């Protein structure tokens, strides 16, 4: 992937600040979680999915060809033990997309999931993808 499509340090700061404090995700409170690290393979998988959604005008975790996040992450070379994915559309900044994710219980749960150790985020057009993983 040629260059980053998001501000990596800001995305990590937003995620790790929330994880360090704990968070109410819908009706469930999540205790503080360890910080998460950036992973370029997860970023590459996120970029592939954001680009696919942008070019083919769809918004789903499953691509038209049937692939899901696990397939995309594996194809990017990440040998995962567990993974998760957040997607969004229409947000203009990292802060906006992050706010949208934490206001959604399912997306917030992914951000607070203690099993995830690494992440990568990318955007194409107005489509954002956040991939989480642990090896």
């Amino acid at each position: 992937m040629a260059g980053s499509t998001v501000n990596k340090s800001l995305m990590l700061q937003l995620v790790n600040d929330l994880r360090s404090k704990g968070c109410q995700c819908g009706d469930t409170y999540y205790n503080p979680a360890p910080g998460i690290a950036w992973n370029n393979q997860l970023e590459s998988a996120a970029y592939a999915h954001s680009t696919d959604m942008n070019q083919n005008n769809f918004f789903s975790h499953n691509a038209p060809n049937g692939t899901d996040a696990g397939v995309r992450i594996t194809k990017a070379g990440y040998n995962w033990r567990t993974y998760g994915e957040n997607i969004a559309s229409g947000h203009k900044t990292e802060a906006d997309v992050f706010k949208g994710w934490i206001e959604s219980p399912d997306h917030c749960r992914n951000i607070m999931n203690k099993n995830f150790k690494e992440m990568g985020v990318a955007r194409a057009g107005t489509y954002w993808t956040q991939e989480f993983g642990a090896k």
Side-chain angles (χ1 to χ4, degrees):
M1 183 181 140
S4 178
T5 61
V6 300
N7 182 327
K8 295 177 190 183
S9 59
L10 178 57
M11 289 304 303
L12 272 175
Q13 179 185 348
L14 291 167
V15 168
N16 285 330
D17 283 354
L18 186 71
R19 286 172 68 97
S20 73
K21 296 177 204 164
C23 185
Q24 185 77 33
C25 299
D27 60 1
T28 305
Y29 178 78
Y30 286 81
N31 288 319
I36 201 166
W38 191 268
N39 180 280
N40 290 332
Q41 291 168 320
L42 292 173
E43 179 187 11
S44 179
Y47 181 72
H49 191 51
S50 291
T51 299
D52 191 18
M53 288 190 293
N54 188 49
Q55 289 177 348
N56 295 300
N57 196 30
F58 73 95
F59 183 70
S60 174
H61 292 283
N62 296 313
N65 67 6
T67 58
D68 64 12
V71 171
R72 289 188 290 275
I73 292 168
T74 299
K75 187 176 179 184
Y78 190 88
N79 298 314
W80 54 270
R81 179 178 45 83
T82 186
Y83 71 86
E85 178 179 79
N86 287 344
I87 59 174
S89 179
H91 300 281
K92 296 190 186 319
T93 68
E94 289 81 356
D96 288 342
V97 75
F98 183 74
K99 182 177 185 288
W101 282 332
I102 63 171
E103 290 175 352
S104 161
D106 288 341
H107 294 99
C108 182
R109 280 192 274 279
N110 274 342
I111 291 169
M112 293 304 298
N113 188 327
K114 290 181 181 183
N115 294 320
F116 298 145
K117 308 297 182 201
E118 299 176 297
M119 75 167 199
V121 181
R123 72 180 285 189
T126 62
Y127 293 92
W128 297 75
T129 305
Q130 181 177 41
E131 302 290 10
F132 297 96
K135 296 179 180 178

